Amino acid sequence: MAQFDYLIVGSGLFGAVFAHEAMRKGKKCLVIDKRKHPGGNVYCEQVDGINVHKYGAHIFHTNDKEIWEYVNQFVEFNRYTNSPVAFYKDEVYNLPFNMNTFQQLWGIKTPEEAKNKITEQVIASGIKEPKNLEEQAISLVGTDIYEKLIKGYTEKQWGRKATELPTFIIKRLPVRFTYDNNYFNDRYQGIPIGGYNKLIDGLLDGIEVRLQVDFFSQREELTKLADKIVFTGKIDEFYNYQFGNLEYRSLKFENKTLDQSNFQGNAVINYTDSKIPYTRIIEHKHFEFGTQNKTIITYEYPDEWSQGKESYYPINDSRNNAIYSQYKSLSEKETKVIFGGRLAEYKYYDMHQIIASALKKSKDYLNK
Ligand code: FAD
Ligand code: UDP
């Protein structure tokens, strides 16, 4: 008899939700994480009373009432609505692409004028069936917006030409012909009051968590500890990179504490000009309407990924997707290991999608 029913590798949202559901079914779980803290990329660090989103800004949003009610069991959410602003040279635009953006760019006032302007530019581009991010972006919003607000940001964010990137990345952003700066279309949105750690602590309450334990440094011993493993780390590493490395985009964060109460007047400002090396500046206090005398800002720099750096964004181009499908085929033959989460599924998932996926997988396996 193994000591635990489940060994859960990774205490991010996927691991924490799975562990919580397993515990509710009476299963004994051990969660390990190689980092010093639980929570994966949603972890926040409290500095001067401000929750600093240590691994990039996280805004929770979902259209699914069940997921919303699920997270609200553990923590209440505030009314934060993400409305980033874009700086291009000395021009300022509202995001996502909506009537405010179109008005600022073209001086037009009505949806009809905006639609005509975009249609004119799409026809002039000659694009009929978009095959890459550049063509997809121009088809959605025309060439002016593409050149000022998309091309520079996208190419520095991904370190690749927009013509070499998949279309789905740009389809994440709404395009609206109303004066509405809400970055998401979802019905529910907010930031946990008191920070994301409250959500993670609630999920992991009553479960043994061992930190600074890398699965691969004690693979054999750890594997023996449990009947089943839930693996949320990198799938290529799990299989010793036998089909090659999966590529990622990494990030570097530079934090500054400033002796002023309000630096930029918004939580998120995007810098869409290719000459500015960072993609966005985050001012963390605005996620929680903070009134502190100080403020903490983070410059987010895209970074070329290499072995040993944090793997933030999967690069779902054809090369990487082909490698991933080979690993996936191996994973489907496993009887003891369940794979889930952003790294194990090599997928650009948002938090609500990770929670939905962990709930579904836990239901499938725990009810077996
Ligand atoms: P992770 O959070 O990455 O957790 C995996 C955990 O496994 C980590 O703690 C890691 O240390 C651990 N681990 C890995 N390998 C091992 C090993 N070998 N041994 C032990 N432990 C291991 N989503 C939104 O909904 N809204 C947003 O605004 C948003 N913003 C984002 C901004 C950025 C910059 C990024 C990168 C992501 C953003 N996301 C956002 C997505 C969100 O972060 C993810 O959907 C979610 O956190 C993924 O959870 P996970 O459990 O799959 O992975
Ligand atoms: N994007 C852009 N300009 C912006 C914001 C986003 O071109 O001002 C593009 C870019 O390619 C980015 C994608 O839209 O990778 C998705 O943006 P999102 O804000 O959803 O990215 P995330 O917050 O996940 O980094």
Side-chain angles (χ1 to χ4, degrees):
M1 272 278 285
Q3 214 179 318
F4 295 93
D5 295 306
Y6 286 94
L7 168 73
I8 294 164
V9 181
S11 62
L13 268 180
F14 190 97
V17 168
F18 196 107
H20 184 80
E21 292 308 300
M23 181 191 70
R24 284 199 332 138
K25 292 264 177 187
K27 304 290 180 195
K28 198 167 175 219
C29 299
L30 170 65
V31 176
I32 60 163
D33 203 295
K34 63 182 178 185
R35 289 181 181 166
K36 283 192 204 135
H37 56 74
N41 286 346
V42 306
Y43 175 75
C44 292
E45 208 166 64
Q46 269 246 347
V47 186
D48 293 326
I50 298 169
N51 284 311
V52 175
H53 295 213
K54 193 174 156 73
Y55 301 96
H58 279 75
I59 301 104
F60 194 88
H61 58 98
T62 180
N63 233 346
D64 187 333
K65 193 165 183 224
E66 222 178 284
I67 300 293
W68 184 242
E69 285 172 354
Y70 188 81
V71 291
N72 273 275
Q73 294 175 80
F74 303 103
V75 62
E76 240 183 288
F77 282 68
N78 70 16
R79 61 149 187 88
Y80 178 80
T81 300
N82 200 30
S83 313
V85 167
F87 285 5
Y88 173 76
K89 299 191 174 162
D90 58 355
E91 298 163 22
V92 179
Y93 295 98
N94 285 113
L95 292 173
F97 313 120
N98 73 87
M99 283 306 296
N100 289 304
T101 330
F102 309 142
Q103 197 284 324
Q104 289 147 356
L105 190 65
W106 296 314
I108 53 93
K109 292 194 181 71
T110 66
E112 196 186 349
E113 289 172 295
K115 281 182 186 161
N116 289 343
K117 199 89 187 162
I118 291 173
T119 307
E120 220 174 80
Q121 298 188 359
V122 175
I123 291 171
S125 76
I127 299 163
K128 298 230 162 56
E129 272 181 46
K131 287 181 285 303
N132 54 54
L133 193 153
E134 176 171 295
E135 294 183 0
Q136 182 64 68
I138 293 172
S139 305
L140 287 170
V141 288
T143 36
D144 287 350
I145 292 185
Y146 174 68
E147 291 297 335
K148 288 191 171 185
L149 300 180
I150 299 176
K151 186 174 165 40
Y153 186 100
T154 295
E155 294 190 343
K156 62 186 171 184
Q157 165 75 356
W158 294 96
R160 283 164 163 72
K161 290 208 153 47
T163 47
E164 292 162 12
L165 288 164
T167 56
F168 80 86
I169 294 177
I170 200 66
K171 288 198 236 158
R172 287 170 57 87
L173 307 192
V175 179
R176 274 191 210 115
F177 293 91
T178 51
Y179 286 91
D180 176 0
N181 295 327
N182 185 346
Y183 203 57
F184 304 112
N185 283 328
D186 290 343
R187 178 157 175 196
Y188 309 102
Q189 179 174 178
I191 302 284
I193 296 173
Y196 284 92
N197 299 2
K198 276 200 164 182
L199 172 61
I200 296 293
D201 291 348
L203 285 163
L204 292 175
D205 190 25
I207 297 165
E208 184 174 347
V209 181
R210 295 184 196 164
L211 298 171
Q212 292 181 281
V213 177
D214 189 330
F215 176 70
F216 297 110
S217 65
Q218 309 166 39
R219 187 171 184 153
E220 259 181 56
E221 302 90 294
L222 287 167
T223 301
K224 280 189 210 138
L225 283 183
D227 290 333
K228 289 219 183 302
I229 296 175
V230 175
F231 184 77
T232 75
K234 290 164 63 180
I235 192 166
D236 52 352
E237 190 174 12
F238 189 90
Y239 288 114
N240 297 314
Y241 304 102
Q242 57 184 283
F243 303 123
N245 272 339
L246 289 168
E247 293 171 303
Y248 288 87
R249 193 69 179 148
S250 200
L251 297 171
K252 269 193 201 148
F253 298 107
E254 189 187 308
N255 294 345
K256 279 190 185 158
T257 302
L258 305 176
D259 257 327
Q260 65 188 87
S261 61
N262 188 2
F263 169 71
Q264 63 183 14
N266 207 27
V268 184
I269 306 242
N270 290 3
Y271 287 79
T272 60
D273 181 356
S274 63
K275 293 201 180 68
I276 307 259
Y278 40 86
T279 47
R280 37 193 179 192
I281 300 180
I282 307 302
E283 188 168 10
H284 300 270
K285 69 190 305 180
H286 296 311
F287 288 123
E288 298 180 61
F289 317 107
T291 54
Q292 300 86 349
N293 294 329
K294 289 185 181 175
T295 193
I296 299 174
I297 59 168
T298 302
Y299 292 80
E300 187 173 319
Y301 293 88
D303 191 24
E304 195 59 46
W305 176 85
S306 59
Q307 211 49 269
K309 285 191 189 171
E310 286 290 349
S311 308
Y312 285 107
Y313 294 94
I315 298 184
N316 291 106
D317 61 11
S318 47
R319 174 202 173 265
N320 287 298
N321 286 344
I323 295 178
Y324 171 67
S325 63
Q326 289 178 280
Y327 289 122
K328 186 163 188 282
S329 300
L330 284 188
S331 75
E332 281 162 358
K333 295 190 190 99
E334 300 284 350
T335 51
K336 183 171 168 157
V337 191
I338 300 157
F339 293 81
R342 236 192 191 203
L343 300 170
E345 294 184 58
Y346 196 63
K347 205 163 168 200
Y348 193 167
Y349 274 128
D350 277 335
M351 293 181 276
H352 60 291
Q353 295 166 316
I354 285 287
I355 294 170
S357 152
L359 286 175
K360 174 158 191 335
K361 280 205 179 157
S362 60
K363 227 178 244 160
D364 290 352
Y365 286 94
L366 293 166
N367 292 338
K368 261 186 191 169

